[in-house]
Amino acid sequence: MLSIKNIGRVGKRYRNLRRYQQIIGIILKYGFGNIIDAMHIDRYIESGRELIPFVKSHEKVEKLSKNQRIRMVFEELGPTFIKMGQVLSSRPDLIPVALLNELAQLQDHVPPFGFDNVKAIIASEFGRPYDEIFKSIEKIPFASASIGQVHKAWTNSNIQIAVKIQRPGIRKIIETDLEIMLHIASIMENNIEEVAFFKPVKIVEEFAKTLAKELDFSIEASNMERMAEQFKDDKTIHIPKVYFDESSVRVLSMEYIRGIKADDVDAIKLAGLDTKLITRRGADFYMKQVFEHGFFHADPHPGNIFILEKNRIGPVDFGMVGFVDQQTREVFVDLIHSITTDNFKLTARLLCELSEYENQPDLKLLEKDLSLFVSTHLLKSLKDIKTARMVNQFLELCAIHNLKIPPDFFLMIKAFISIEGLGKKLDPDFDILSHAIPYVAAAKYRKFSPSKIVNDFMGIARESYKLFQIFPTDAVEIMRLTKSGKLSFNMKIEGFDKMLNTQDQTSNRIAFSIIIAALILGSAMLINSNVPPILFGVSVIGIAGFIAAAVMGIWLLVAIIQKGRL
């Protein structure tokens, strides 16, 4: 199991120094030398800065925006960083919207690995040679990415399948890069205030969790099985079958899909298929995933959706999925309803319920901004609404109010944008928002359907019954502890100790001031009355009183100044 906790911290030996140097060099190449300087990197590399390659930024690079240069850094650093950028492009809770959109353009361009490695991995996973597991495998893969590549193959029962093989040594490469990422992130968090705000250490930890799932192909197999179960009665959708006897953690065997890529409009029409019907079915597929099941394919780009005979939809690659629980779906439906009824006070409250935040936002201001947002985007013909632009401005609105959209919720929004874009290619008149209205209405109805109310009531009844079962026992125990004098209550009021300390300081200063005033008045009276002993015609006790008052006054003044408050 890949875990950030199991990755050793970069030690003084710097066993990954060459890769470390390469990363620092590329960061410098794209004009981020100020970050390297702010990190004080010299003290972490034994031999000093001379080990880091000297790289001068090209003039063309310096003219690019900061976000464009960040994307280019990820691209040049290779598979692990490309994958991290792709993951971050779905996390508006971790990075700014502008950078999120830039990282969404990252693509894998990884050459395939040799067939000898394929045979070795299969033998390692199954403990037998590859030709005992499969009847045959094509040596050249038909798809290749950073985590693995896919080959056509045939089972011993002569069934054609697609076999996904994990890239050799990828786990070690990822662990090395994660080790360095974590080290750099911790330095940046400790030294650069602007970067620390985005919590880079947390970002690396979240990325490690995501990669751990992607490196376990059995999780993707489970996702496919779950999706197939959801649509087992839907003849318009075909989920590839998983062949578990020929699958493992690093090998995934699935049904080979023969179809046309969803964005190849000419080929679809040439095959005599109905693009408008396909568009509606594809939209229905995603509406059902989100509003009915809450479990959805989170990466529906055209390369992952094939069009099969009889206008059927064939999705592939279930490595990235999202889950929205029933309560969140119900809040989302209520949010949409509150917008359509212009109840922006409720909209603001529901948006806060859907989001995460550290400090309670100003609901009045949020309500005002939501009203302006709706009037800008939604008070127009549905055909004229630019969904992608609307979503970007919605995320910016959330960022202004320090609201963090949960990752799965954002993945759902991204999926809708992808489906809308694909639908527009197949059917220029397609409008995903009007297509969603019946599903929203149905979800609203289900919330108040008799069966839902009965189920909710039964759930409350079960919990109440459990409470009534344990309450008498707990009440008797409380009474027993009370009688024996063993029951005690501890109450802690935040900031109360500080308030008491402040009050004590104030009281002491007042008392000190009274004493000083008394000394001054008493000494003046002694001097005026010539109380002996007399020295040079002045009362010695009176002079001593004035000196004591002066010392105490200076002492009090210094104490006040040290506290920073006069």
Side-chain angles (χ1 to χ4, degrees):
M1 177 68 179
L2 181 68
S3 171
I4 199 73
K5 293 180 180 177
N6 295 329
I7 298 171
R9 185 184 171 190
V10 179
K12 290 185 177 180
R13 292 183 293 114
Y14 292 105
R15 57 190 175 88
N16 304 316
L17 182 58
R18 182 170 296 178
R19 177 61 172 158
Y20 201 104
Q21 289 176 243
Q22 183 185 25
I23 291 170
I24 299 301
I26 291 171
I27 292 172
L28 289 170
K29 173 182 174 180
Y30 287 98
F32 294 106
N34 58 323
I35 292 178
I36 301 300
D37 291 336
M39 287 166 60
H40 307 296
I41 202 73
D42 289 351
R43 61 192 173 111
Y44 294 98
I45 298 181
E46 290 182 20
S47 302
R49 194 180 179 96
E50 67 273 7
L51 287 176
I52 302 173
F54 175 75
V55 183
K56 185 177 180 181
S57 297
H58 297 293
E59 192 173 335
K60 289 183 179 179
V61 169
E62 292 174 347
K63 291 180 180 179
L64 297 173
S65 71
K66 182 178 70 174
N67 291 333
Q68 287 176 316
R69 287 184 283 125
I70 291 173
R71 173 180 54 80
M72 294 170 76
V73 167
F74 278 91
E75 284 178 338
E76 191 161 337
L77 285 174
T80 309
F81 287 83
I82 289 173
K83 182 62 67 176
M84 183 182 191
Q86 290 172 337
V87 170
L88 288 177
S89 71
S90 300
R91 299 300 302 267
D93 57 321
L94 296 178
I95 63 173
V97 177
L99 178 56
L100 180 143
N101 291 330
E102 188 67 39
L103 294 181
Q105 301 177 40
L106 284 168
Q107 298 292 328
D108 280 344
H109 298 291
V110 184
F113 52 89
F115 192 66
D116 287 340
N117 286 316
V118 171
K119 293 190 292 184
I121 290 169
I122 294 172
S124 172
E125 288 296 292
F126 297 98
R128 289 178 290 161
Y130 83 99
D131 52 6
E132 291 185 19
I133 308 300
F134 304 98
K135 183 178 179 180
S136 65
I137 300 180
E138 287 190 356
K139 292 185 177 181
I140 305 300
F142 65 84
S144 178
S146 56
I147 299 295
Q149 62 189 35
V150 189
H151 294 252
K152 285 183 186 177
W154 286 261
T155 67
N156 288 321
S157 303
N158 206 33
I159 299 171
Q160 188 177 24
I161 59 174
V163 182
K164 186 176 180 179
I165 311 289
Q166 192 170 112
R167 189 167 289 277
I170 188 66
R171 179 177 290 270
K172 186 176 180 181
I173 292 170
I174 287 173
E175 286 183 350
T176 297
D177 282 347
L178 281 175
E179 181 179 281
I180 295 170
M181 278 184 192
L182 181 62
H183 187 230
I184 292 175
S186 62
I187 297 172
M188 292 173 74
E189 194 162 306
N190 291 329
N191 290 278
I192 307 174
E193 188 176 344
E194 295 83 355
V195 176
F197 174 79
F198 296 105
K199 301 179 180 178
V201 171
K202 180 186 175 184
I203 290 176
V204 176
E205 290 172 347
E206 291 287 321
F207 176 52
K209 292 176 186 176
T210 301
L211 270 185
K213 294 177 182 177
E214 289 207 33
L215 289 174
D216 186 349
F217 287 174
S218 65
I219 294 177
E220 183 176 349
S222 298
N223 294 337
M224 294 171 71
E225 283 287 286
R226 180 173 179 177
M227 190 68 71
E229 179 64 24
Q230 289 179 177
F231 290 91
K232 64 181 179 181
D233 298 323
D234 191 335
K235 303 303 180 184
T236 68
I237 306 299
H238 183 79
I239 309 297
K241 179 183 177 182
V242 179
Y243 291 85
F244 285 98
D245 290 341
E246 290 85 13
S247 298
S248 68
V249 172
R250 294 199 294 161
V251 177
L252 175 59
S253 297
M254 67 203 103
E255 179 184 357
Y256 180 75
I257 296 293
R258 296 176 181 85
I260 305 169
K261 283 191 175 182
D263 62 343
D264 193 345
V265 181
D266 292 337
I268 292 170
K269 289 180 178 179
L270 192 63
L273 300 174
D274 187 338
T275 55
K276 290 182 180 292
L277 179 59
I278 289 168
T279 301
R280 290 198 302 273
R281 285 181 172 180
D284 287 337
F285 175 48
Y286 268 87
M287 298 299 169
K288 289 174 182 177
Q289 289 179 68
V290 171
F291 291 106
E292 295 179 14
H293 304 293
F295 178 75
F296 58 94
H297 190 304
D299 191 20
H301 64 75
N304 284 342
I305 301 176
F306 289 88
I307 308 305
L308 313 181
E309 73 281 354
K310 297 181 181 179
N311 299 303
R312 292 184 302 155
I313 311 295
V316 298
D317 193 352
F318 290 81
M320 185 183 291
V321 295
F323 177 74
V324 181
D325 60 53
Q326 183 174 330
Q327 182 180 355
T328 302
R329 296 200 302 272
E330 289 177 357
V331 174
F332 178 56
V333 169
D334 289 340
L335 178 71
I336 295 173
H337 184 260
S338 69
I339 291 172
T340 58
T341 56
D342 293 337
N343 187 350
F344 297 114
K345 186 174 184 179
L346 179 59
T347 304
R349 185 179 65 78
L350 291 171
L351 181 58
C352 290
E353 190 173 339
L354 276 175
S355 309
E356 298 173 359
Y357 51 86
E358 294 181 1
N359 299 312
Q360 176 72 37
D362 185 331
L363 290 177
K364 288 285 186 184
L365 186 57
L366 178 58
E367 181 183 338
K368 179 182 176 183
D369 287 348
L370 284 168
S371 176
L372 180 61
F373 172 80
V374 170
S375 64
T376 302
H377 294 282
L378 298 178
L379 298 183
K380 58 177 71 172
S381 170
L382 290 174
K383 283 187 177 182
D384 297 329
I385 294 174
K386 306 296 182 184
T387 309
R389 182 169 175 268
M390 179 179 71
V391 169
N392 279 338
Q393 292 199 3
F394 173 73
L395 292 174
E396 288 170 359
L397 184 151
C398 291
I400 290 170
H401 293 274
N402 295 315
L403 296 174
K404 297 180 179 180
I405 301 297
D408 281 340
F409 189 73
F410 178 68
L411 283 174
M412 181 188 75
I413 295 172
K414 274 190 71 177
F416 278 128
I417 294 174
S418 297
I419 290 298
E420 185 201 35
L422 185 55
K424 289 284 189 184
K425 283 186 178 181
L426 294 169
D427 178 10
D429 296 325
F430 175 66
D431 175 20
I432 195 169
L433 293 178
S434 59
H435 198 88
I437 289 172
Y439 287 92
V440 174
K444 187 76 175 174
Y445 170 77
R446 281 195 301 271
K447 182 179 177 181
F448 297 104
S449 66
S451 59
K452 175 69 167 54
I453 292 171
V454 169
N455 287 335
D456 288 348
F457 179 77
M458 291 301 294
I460 294 170
R462 280 193 299 269
E463 294 300 319
S464 300
Y465 179 66
K466 290 179 184 177
L467 177 63
F468 281 120
Q469 277 184 315
I470 63 173
F471 180 75
T473 304
D474 288 348
V476 170
E477 180 66 13
I478 290 171
M479 291 174 66
R480 187 185 66 78
L481 291 172
T482 302
K483 287 180 179 180
S484 63
K486 294 180 180 179
L487 186 67
S488 62
F489 294 94
N490 292 320
M491 182 183 294
K492 183 178 180 181
I493 302 175
E494 293 293 332
F496 190 66
D497 291 342
K498 186 177 180 181
M499 185 182 72
L500 288 176
N501 289 335
T502 303
Q503 187 176 7
D504 285 344
Q505 288 177 354
T506 303
S507 300
N508 291 338
R509 289 175 183 175
I510 291 172
F512 225 61
S513 300
I514 292 171
I515 292 171
I516 293 169
L519 280 171
I520 292 172
L521 289 173
S523 299
M525 291 175 65
L526 290 171
I527 290 174
N528 190 52
S529 302
N530 290 322
V531 175
I534 303 296
L535 182 63
F536 302 112
V538 181
S539 172
V540 173
I541 299 174
I543 293 296
F546 274 124
I547 293 172
V551 171
M552 292 176 70
I554 293 170
W555 188 8
L556 178 61
L557 183 61
V558 170
I560 293 171
I561 292 172
Q562 285 178 341
K563 291 291 181 181
R565 294 178 182 177
L566 290 172

